[in-house]
Amino acid sequence: MSDEFYYRGLEKAKQKDYAGAIEEFNRALQVTPFFPEAYLQRGLAYYDSGVILQAVSDYTEALKQNPQSLAAYYSRALARVALKNLPGALEDVESAIRLNYNYPAAHSLRGMVRRKQGYIQDAIANFKKAAELYLEQKDTENCRLCLERIKELQPPEKPPVLSQKAPNITIKSEKDYFKQLLDKAEKGDTREAIEDLNWVLQADPQDAQAYCCRGVVRCKMGNYQEAIADFNQALRLDFHDAIVYRNRGKARYLLADYQGAIADFNQALQIQPQDALVFVARGNAYRAMSNYLGAIQDYSQAISINPDDAQAYYNRGITHTLLEEMLAARDDYQKAISIFLEKEDWDNYHQVLNSLNKIQKSLPENQNQKYNLLRQRLLRMVGGQWEIAQRLIQQKKDYYPQMPEEWYLQKVIADLERDRNN
C-alpha cells in the first residue's frame, strides 16, 4: 500500500504538483515509517516548493535510515547552500564524493561552495574535475557549463607593466570605488586589486585613501611590512584618519609588535572614541601580552557600544577561559553563537561552538556549586575567618567594579597563593 502512495507522489512531483506529492508521501510514511526514499522524495518536493528547512529535515531523516544515500547528501548540500550554511553544505557534498568519487554534480557543487567561500583556485580545481567526468559520460552540456565557470574565475592575462588604462570599475563615488576594490580582494582577487590601486597611485601619488586601501589588501595577502609602509604613507598625507591607525595597529599585532599595535589603537580611539572594532583589536593585543583584565575591559567596552558584537563576546569568552572562569566563558560563547546564528555566519558559528564544546566538561553542574567551592577554599586559606575574606573581597570590588562574584573569589585566592609563594 505504501508503494502505491509513493509512486503516486512521484507522478505528482513530475507534474509539479508538489503539494499533492507531499500529501502522497505523507500517506506512504504513515503506512511504512522506515522508508528512506519517501523521505528523500518528500524533501525534494519541499525544496521545489521553497520550504527549504523542511526539506533539510527530510533529507536528514533519509540519511538516518540510509547513511549511504548519495542523493540525500547531495540534495541536503543544495538546500544548505540555499540557506547560506556553506560549512554544512561542504560537509555534505564531500560525503557524497566519498560515496562516489565519479559523481560530477558533486564536484561541480563543491566548486560552487568553495567559490562562495572565496577559495577561487580550489573552486577552479573542482569545476575542472566535474568537467572531466561530464566529458567521460558524454554530457557535453554540463561539461560546457563547468568550463564557462572556470573561465569566469580565471584572472585575465595582463602584461607585467602597469596599464595606462583605468581599471574597469563602475564608480559612483570615491568611497564606493575603494569599497569595490576591497570587495574584489575579499573574493580572492588580491592581485587584481593591487594592480588597480597601483594604477590609482600612479595617477595621484597623494591619495591617502588609496594607500590605506592598498595596505588593507596587503594585510589580506600576509605582506604586513609592506602594508605598514602603505599605512605610514597614508598617515603622512592624512594623520587624522582613525581607520588608518586601526589597520596599522592590526598589522603590527599580526607581526607580534603588541606595544606598537596598542599605541596605534590608542591613537585611533582618541580620534574615534566609540569605535567598537578598535576596542576588540586592542583587547586582542592585551590578551596576547597576558594582560587579561585589560583585555576583558576592552571587550566589555566594545559590547557596551555594540551589544551585537559577536567577536567581542567570543574574544572575551576566550580570555575568561584563560583565567579559568568557565561559567563566564560559557555565557560569552553562548551569546556569540546566538548572534552568529542570527547573522547566518556559519564559519564563525561553528568555530565558537567548538570552543564551547571544549570547555563543557570543565563546567560545574551549576553556578552555586562553583561559588560554594571557591568560598570554601578561600575560607580555608584565611583560617576559617570569613570577616577577613569579606574584607579582601571588598578591596577587589572597590578596585575592579562590576566583575562576577566568582571572579572576586578567584582573584583573592590567586593573590593569597602568590603571596605565599614569594
Side-chain angles (χ1 to χ4, degrees):
M1 189 65 174
S2 62
D3 284 349
E4 183 180 343
F5 293 134
Y6 174 75
Y7 287 115
R8 282 185 198 167
L10 290 180
E11 188 58 35
K12 289 191 175 183
K14 192 182 295 184
Q15 296 168 4
K16 298 187 179 181
D17 178 9
Y18 302 121
I22 290 167
E23 187 176 338
E24 294 297 340
F25 294 133
N26 287 343
R27 289 174 180 165
L29 289 166
Q30 285 173 358
V31 177
T32 309
F34 189 87
F35 200 159
E37 279 301 314
Y39 277 109
L40 172 61
Q41 293 299 328
R42 190 175 70 176
L44 293 171
Y46 275 124
Y47 181 88
D48 289 331
S49 303
V51 188
I52 310 298
L53 285 172
Q54 187 59 53
V56 170
S57 177
D58 273 355
Y59 300 144
T60 302
E61 185 59 36
L63 286 166
K64 284 180 184 176
Q65 296 187 7
N66 178 15
Q68 301 302 308
S69 175
L70 174 66
Y73 275 118
Y74 179 78
S75 299
R76 193 170 69 176
L78 275 175
R80 284 176 163 171
V81 169
L83 291 170
K84 300 180 182 177
N85 180 358
L86 298 183
L90 185 62
E91 183 179 339
D92 277 346
V93 78
E94 287 180 345
S95 295
I97 290 170
R98 281 194 293 271
L99 288 170
N100 182 1
Y101 185 76
N102 293 321
Y103 186 35
H107 289 281
S108 179
L109 182 56
R110 185 163 67 175
M112 184 191 304
V113 173
R114 297 304 273 168
R115 178 180 186 175
K116 287 178 178 292
Q117 291 179 320
Y119 296 99
I120 304 303
Q121 292 306 316
D122 199 2
I124 290 173
N126 277 282
F127 287 132
K128 282 182 177 177
K129 184 61 184 177
E132 290 172 9
L133 292 170
Y134 279 128
L135 193 59
E136 288 175 10
Q137 297 175 10
K138 296 183 171 49
D139 186 342
T140 55
E141 180 60 22
N142 278 314
C143 177
R144 184 183 60 78
L145 289 173
C146 288
L147 293 174
E148 286 178 1
R149 286 171 180 157
I150 293 168
K151 187 176 180 181
E152 290 171 4
L153 292 173
Q154 285 178 331
E157 293 293 327
K158 292 193 175 184
V161 183
L162 282 176
S163 170
Q164 295 302 308
K165 184 180 178 182
N168 184 22
I169 298 177
T170 304
I171 305 175
K172 297 177 183 177
S173 66
E174 187 176 36
K175 182 179 179 181
D176 177 73
Y177 172 62
F178 288 115
K179 182 181 182 302
Q180 287 183 58
L181 290 177
L182 291 174
D183 287 344
K184 184 183 291 187
E186 198 67 42
K187 293 173 183 175
D189 299 332
T190 50
R191 184 177 67 85
E192 188 172 342
I194 288 289
E195 289 181 358
D196 288 348
L197 285 161
N198 288 343
W199 181 90
V200 173
L201 288 167
Q202 188 178 62
D204 182 6
Q206 304 301 307
D207 192 327
Q209 276 190 280
Y211 280 111
C212 180
C213 190
R214 191 172 69 177
V216 172
V217 176
R218 282 176 164 167
C219 273
K220 291 182 185 298
M221 299 169 71
N223 300 333
Y224 305 123
Q225 293 288 6
E226 292 180 7
I228 288 172
D230 273 341
F231 295 135
N232 290 343
Q233 184 61 26
L235 288 170
R236 277 192 284 271
L237 295 166
D238 182 6
F239 62 91
H240 289 298
D241 195 332
I243 294 174
V244 183
Y245 281 112
R246 183 180 75 201
N247 282 291
R248 189 176 70 175
K250 288 181 179 180
R252 285 176 163 174
Y253 168 81
L254 291 166
L255 287 170
D257 176 13
Y258 304 128
Q259 292 286 7
I262 288 170
D264 274 343
F265 297 141
N266 290 342
Q267 192 67 39
L269 287 169
Q270 284 186 11
I271 301 168
Q272 183 54 265
Q274 296 299 304
D275 191 336
L277 292 174
V278 179
F279 279 108
V280 173
R282 192 174 69 177
N284 292 341
Y286 279 137
R287 189 178 72 218
M289 296 174 68
S290 300
N291 181 358
Y292 301 137
L293 293 179
I296 286 175
Q297 288 174 354
D298 269 358
Y299 299 137
S300 299
Q301 183 63 30
I303 290 166
S304 70
I305 295 169
N306 178 14
D308 292 326
D309 191 333
Q311 287 294 344
Y313 283 108
Y314 178 42
N315 283 286
R316 192 172 70 175
I318 293 172
T319 312
H320 280 306
T321 301
L322 294 170
L323 290 169
E324 298 183 13
E325 298 166 359
M326 297 308 179
L327 286 170
R330 179 199 63 189
D331 292 343
D332 277 340
Y333 287 152
Q334 288 176 340
K335 183 65 176 176
I337 286 169
S338 175
I339 297 170
F340 283 132
L341 181 62
E342 181 70 23
K343 294 179 177 179
E344 297 183 349
D345 185 342
W346 301 112
D347 287 339
N348 280 312
Y349 168 82
H350 287 291
Q351 183 180 11
V352 185
L353 188 60
N354 287 337
S355 297
L356 177 61
N357 290 336
K358 286 177 183 177
I359 69 166
Q360 288 288 7
K361 292 182 180 179
S362 62
L363 290 169
E365 291 182 5
N366 57 63
Q367 192 165 356
N368 288 334
Q369 180 183 351
K370 181 180 180 184
Y371 181 85
N372 289 334
L373 289 172
L374 290 169
R375 191 176 185 276
Q376 291 169 16
R377 183 178 174 189
L378 177 56
L379 195 57
R380 288 195 300 270
M381 295 180 76
V382 296
Q385 300 181 56
W386 185 242
E387 64 274 13
I388 296 176
Q390 284 182 313
R391 187 168 66 252
L392 294 172
I393 291 169
Q394 190 57 50
Q395 289 174 357
K396 299 304 176 189
K397 286 183 176 181
D398 293 339
Y399 197 78
Y400 303 106
Q402 298 181 341
M403 301 299 285
E405 286 296 320
E406 293 84 6
W407 186 89
Y408 294 115
L409 289 170
Q410 289 176 323
K411 180 64 176 168
V412 172
I413 290 169
D415 288 350
L416 289 173
E417 287 180 339
R418 182 199 61 209
D419 293 340
R420 286 181 180 179
N421 293 331
N422 288 339

